[in-house]
Structures are given as C-alpha cells and as structure tokens.
Amino acid sequence: MKYLLLICFFILQSCHSQEGKFKSKEFKEPIVVKMNENLEVATFAGGCFWCTEAIFLEVKGVSKVVSGYIGGKTKNPTYSEVCSGTSGHAEAIQITFNPKEVAYEDLLEIFFGTHNPTTLNRQGADAGTQYRSEIFYYSLEQKEKAENYIQLITKEKLYNDPIVTQVTSATEFYLAEEYHQDYYSQNSLQGYCQMVIAPKLEKLRKYYKSKLK
C-alpha cells in the first residue's frame, strides 16, 4: 500500500500530470535569434520548462524568458507530441539578456545550481528525453564557455555522479503554447508549483541573491 501511494505521489508531482487537456495545434514559426553587444540569447533545457522559466525570470539583466521546444525533428511540435518523446524535442527556455548586466557564465552557474545535471533524461518525477539536461549554443564563444564550465565543476567534484548535460548547436526553437508561458506566476497555488517549483525558487533566492532583480 505504501509503495502504491508513493507511486501516486510521484505521478501527481510530475510536470506532464498537471496538464488537464491538450489544446488544438497552433501554428508556430521557429523563433529567429538576433544578438548584438547589448542583447544575447541563451537556451537551456533542464527538466520541465515551468521550473526553469520561473527561475530565470528573477535574474538581473534578463529581459525576457519564453518556454518552448528545441532539438527535435518534428516541425511545429505540440506539447502532446513533445511529451510522447517521439518528436525528439526537449522542453527548454530561451533567455534574452543584457551581457553588460549579467554574464553568460552567471546564467550557467544558476542553470547548474538549480537542476540536477547528473540524471539522464530525468528531473525528479519528470522522466523522458524531453526532460534532458542540455545547453544549446548560438556561437562558438557560448560553446566554449559551457564546455569550460562543465570541466570546471567536474574538476571541483561538485556532484557525486558524472554530469550528463549535453552542449549542442542550437536548432529551431518553437515557442510553446500560450498556456505554458509565465506558468508559475499564473498557477503558483497548484500542487506541482508548490511542491516542485517553489523549493527551487527558495534555493535560488538563498544562494544567488546578488544575481537577482
């Protein structure tokens, strides 16, 4: 009986289980990324995008965070297709930031500090390739910084297990359905938000206070 209750608890706390129904397919053009000295873009996948979006919206120098899908083969994927694991996409966030206010390395530090980069295709109760840990780079500079940071934290043995985070050239990023955007602020009293996202935000505010708005 205890085992059954434990299984039910984890199912209820998974990102996918909170989705009451899938909406009809919306046509979405892939986002075109434009960067300059005052505006850069970073794309991270670190589990359910509801969590990662809520975290980076609080970071100083970040002007915009959107949830979406990247790294797959299906054109214009839906949430249902991504959750099935057949599209190949990861749930990810695209962060627009001012590099003069927050460094890309700071974003990497927060990314690795607020999810588990050692669990393959899993974050807590969320399991599947769509929940993989992956960094999608838009320049060789971002690639080098991401790889160097992984080498650094591996050398420092910050984790007991090997880091499985992939560093990959960015492909087409599709914006997720509207009801996924700014999810935490609109659903903060929901069970998943209370049990999974709120503790991550508490950790963020405790350990990265100087980097927040």
Side-chain angles (χ1 to χ4, degrees), residues 21 37 51 74 76 79 97-98 104 110 127 149-150 186 197:
K21 60 181 179 179
E37 62 179 11
C51 297
T74 302
N76 187 31
Y79 185 59
F97 66 100
N98 186 339
Y104 185 70
I110 293 171
Y149 192 83
I150 291 174
Q186 299 183 62
I197 303 178

Side-chain angles (χ1 to χ4, degrees), residues 90-193:
E91 287 193 16
I93 55 166
Q94 191 176 82
I95 305 163
T96 302
F97 66 100
N98 186 339
K100 295 180 179 179
E101 296 182 39
V102 59
Y104 185 70
E105 290 89 341
D106 291 328
L107 300 181
L108 290 172
E109 180 183 356
I110 293 171
F111 172 67
F112 280 102
T114 53
H115 87 294
N116 188 342
T118 70
T119 51
L120 184 64
N121 300 329
R122 174 184 289 276
Q123 286 297 308
D126 293 323
T129 56
Q130 68 271 27
Y131 300 118
R132 63 187 180 267
S133 177
E134 190 161 3
I135 296 167
F136 296 89
Y137 60 86
Y138 294 95
S139 66
L140 288 178
E141 183 180 15
Q142 284 191 353
K143 178 178 185 289
E144 291 174 0
K145 287 179 178 179
E147 291 176 338
N148 289 341
Y149 192 83
I150 291 174
Q151 290 176 8
L152 173 64
I153 58 179
T154 297
K155 182 179 180 180
E156 295 296 322
K157 298 181 180 179
L158 297 186
Y159 300 92
N160 293 326
D161 300 311
I163 292 172
V164 297
T165 305
Q166 301 174 60
V167 179
T168 309
S169 178
T171 54
E172 292 180 330
F173 181 94
Y174 291 93
L175 197 66
E177 293 79 356
E178 182 61 32
Y179 59 98
H180 289 301
Q181 308 302 328
D182 202 20
Y183 192 88
Y184 178 75
S185 68
Q186 299 183 62
N187 302 274
S188 60
L189 297 180
Q190 183 199 79
Y192 182 87
C193 292

Side-chain angles (χ1 to χ4, degrees), residues 10-43:
F10 278 108
I11 290 175
L12 289 173
Q13 301 315 315
S14 70
C15 176
H16 191 187
S17 70
Q18 304 304 310
E19 183 56 32
K21 60 181 179 179
F22 298 121
K23 307 297 176 69
S24 58
K25 186 158 185 168
E26 306 167 7
F27 179 75
K28 304 182 293 293
E29 289 282 0
I31 293 179
V32 177
V33 173
K34 296 180 180 180
M35 300 197 296
N36 55 52
E37 62 179 11
N38 297 312
L39 193 71
E40 287 192 27
V41 171
T43 296

